[in-house]
Amino acid sequence: MRKVYNFSAGPAMLPEAVLQQAQAEMLDWQNSGMSVMEISHRSATFTNLIEQAEADLRELLNIPYFYKVLFLAGGASNQFAMVPLNLFSEENKTADYIDTGIWSKKAIEEAKRYGQVNLAASISREKPQQIPPQTDWDLNPNAAYVHYTPNETIDGIEFHWVPKTGDVPLVADMSSTILSRPIDISAYGIIYAGTQKNIGASGLTLVIIREDLIKQALPNTPTLYQYIVHDQNKSLYNTPPTFIWYLSALVFSWLKQEGGLQIMAEKNRLKANKLYEFIDNSGFYRNDVHPSCRSWMNVPFSIENQDLNDTFLQEAENYGLTYLSGHRLVGGMRASIYNAMPLEGVESLIQFMQHFSNLYG
Ligand SMILES: *Cc1c(COP(=O)(O)O)cnc(C)c1O
């Protein structure tokens, strides 16, 4: 039994069953007499793992055959550069970006190094924060792509709809929302996601890319920043982070056993609704995101009297609820409640929050 509920935004909580399996297989993986970490990434056993991981991911997300899946190192932040380097061409170096928070801004700053960014829409700074409807966006029909962030991990702002961009490829940074519910892959040109949020451990990045978007990158693009190189080498151009690939494969298999993404969606919706409902009715805590775009995955909240933050975090820690502090850029509190967080974890948090507000409210 584990001793705490971990509400960290990432690296994040992993399913207990996955950790137990990794522990059981640690000294002898697949009758090799070795751990998975010590095995060649080009061996037959590891090749099987890679193939099974991709097959499971394709099944979970219902990925059409004309999309490739790349398993890359470097984190989601690397994709901030890889997307423009690979989707821009000498003829067209303009892209539309939607700014909904801190991670969108980072993607925008990086893209500006390689071409022209058109800020097609920005979130309001007034509270409650709300994503502008697409009718208010200023999209350029000749853009090389449109980039957006379906879930802003730090701000707790999430799209509950998919933008429509016609023939212009839609690129999504799904780092903190991938696998939390079914998605229509065919609406996207590229989906990328770091594994350390809703999948668990850090070190790997998934890129789901429509085949026709894999083409020559801009001149002078470093080899490892070219999708075409990773595609041609089946994500094994150089040594990949094998242990995280293995852990991610265990998580995919766990998700299948749990019943797939429709079931995860129901669980995630229930967890988030319970927590927001409690916050809204508490008269002590608040969340400043408009209900139409509140995140199911990351729930920021604050206490009117900011002086109580440290006490809250310390007492939560004593209660077995860890990593509840907000991101260092925004302060306050944040509960990240990804797939691996059971409903009991959220109920335990609500119980503690109630107890705390009784004491200090
Ligand atoms: C965490 C996060 C990132 C950055 O991921 P790294 O793997 O640390 O580069 C980018 N985008 C979103 C939405 C995130 O949540």
Side-chain angles (χ1 to χ4, degrees):
M1 272 296 287
R2 286 199 281 179
K3 295 194 176 65
V4 299
Y5 288 115
N6 177 4
F7 291 91
S8 169
M13 189 168 176
L14 278 149
E16 195 157 322
V18 164
L19 293 174
Q20 275 164 351
Q21 187 176 345
Q23 181 185 42
E25 299 179 334
M26 186 61 82
L27 296 186
D28 184 13
W29 183 65
Q30 304 274 329
N31 295 317
S32 64
M34 292 178 271
S35 80
V36 64
M37 280 178 272
E38 301 159 292
I39 284 191
S40 166
H41 54 294
R42 304 194 191 278
S43 65
T45 32
F46 201 81
T47 304
N48 283 342
L49 179 147
I50 288 173
E51 287 172 357
Q52 191 61 51
E54 182 173 337
D56 286 347
L57 186 69
R58 283 185 174 274
E59 186 183 328
L60 284 164
L61 283 169
N62 203 4
I63 301 176
Y65 68 92
F66 51 97
Y67 283 75
K68 293 291 185 78
V69 182
L70 308 176
F71 294 83
L72 309 182
S77 302
N78 251 32
Q79 296 307 311
F80 296 167
M82 280 184 84
V83 167
L85 282 168
N86 286 273
L87 294 195
F88 281 161
S89 59
E90 295 286 28
E91 299 76 46
N92 188 359
K93 293 188 190 171
T94 55
D96 286 340
Y97 274 73
I98 314 302
D99 169 16
T100 46
I102 290 165
W103 286 116
S104 321
K105 281 209 190 63
K106 290 211 173 186
I108 289 164
E109 285 317 305
E110 192 66 19
K112 281 183 181 165
R113 296 162 59 89
Y114 308 107
Q116 200 190 325
V117 167
N118 169 40
L119 204 55
S122 293
I123 189 131
S124 63
R125 298 291 160 231
E126 286 141 45
K127 290 169 179 176
Q129 288 199 288
Q130 193 168 3
I131 297 170
Q134 194 176 333
T135 44
D136 292 353
W137 294 10
D138 176 24
L139 291 174
N140 166 12
N142 299 315
Y145 61 91
V146 178
H147 180 283
Y148 84 119
T149 311
N151 185 60
E152 288 282 357
T153 321
I154 296 171
D155 316 75
I157 294 166
E158 181 159 14
F159 280 79
H160 294 286
W161 49 282
V162 182
K164 292 203 170 39
T165 55
D167 291 337
V168 180
L170 181 61
V171 177
D173 173 1
M174 289 205 187
S175 289
S176 48
T177 186
I178 193 155
L179 294 171
S180 64
R181 74 206 76 178
I183 41 174
D184 175 12
I185 301 286
S186 67
Y188 298 88
I190 298 180
I191 291 169
Y192 62 88
T195 51
Q196 76 273 31
K197 309 279 165 68
N198 203 29
I199 301 170
S202 64
L204 195 67
T205 304
L206 309 180
V207 177
I208 301 167
I209 178 168
R210 212 175 63 210
E211 258 170 9
D212 60 290
L213 296 175
I214 302 178
K215 54 184 180 62
Q216 279 310 320
L218 287 178
N220 299 323
T221 299
T223 309
L224 283 169
Y225 279 71
Q226 300 177 28
Y227 290 134
I228 198 166
V229 168
H230 293 291
D231 178 41
Q232 285 168 353
N233 291 279
K234 297 188 173 234
S235 307
L236 295 174
Y237 177 81
N238 65 332
T239 320
T242 52
F243 188 64
I244 309 312
W245 209 331
Y246 157 79
L247 279 178
S248 302
L250 294 187
V251 171
F252 301 158
S253 150
W254 173 79
L255 285 169
K256 281 175 58 181
Q257 277 164 27
E258 289 292 294
L261 300 191
Q262 195 62 54
I263 303 273
M264 292 322 294
E266 282 156 28
K267 290 185 178 177
N268 288 326
R269 182 195 288 120
L270 179 66
K271 287 186 290 181
N273 283 350
K274 279 204 159 191
L275 188 48
Y276 284 117
E277 195 182 301
F278 170 76
I279 290 170
D280 289 345
N281 294 329
S282 69
F284 185 76
Y285 305 97
R286 55 184 292 158
N287 168 282
D288 288 318
V289 179
H290 192 275
S292 64
C293 47
R294 282 173 164 179
S295 169
W296 287 5
M297 302 276 99
N298 312 94
V299 182
F301 59 93
S302 56
I303 307 174
E304 212 65 65
N305 178 359
Q306 301 265 328
D307 293 343
L308 285 173
N309 284 4
D310 288 346
T311 317
F312 178 93
L313 293 170
Q314 185 53 55
E315 293 195 8
E317 197 76 41
N318 299 343
Y319 202 80
L321 308 171
T322 195
Y323 284 125
L324 279 164
S325 57
H327 190 277
R328 59 199 143 79
L329 291 175
V330 295
M333 267 67 74
R334 172 180 52 171
S336 295
I337 49 175
Y338 300 122
N339 282 343
M341 176 62 68
L343 179 61
E344 300 80 70
V346 173
E347 284 169 342
S348 178
L349 172 62
I350 291 172
Q351 220 169 47
F352 166 76
M353 288 170 76
Q354 180 70 62
H355 168 75
F356 188 85
S357 65
N358 291 347
L359 272 181
Y360 295 94

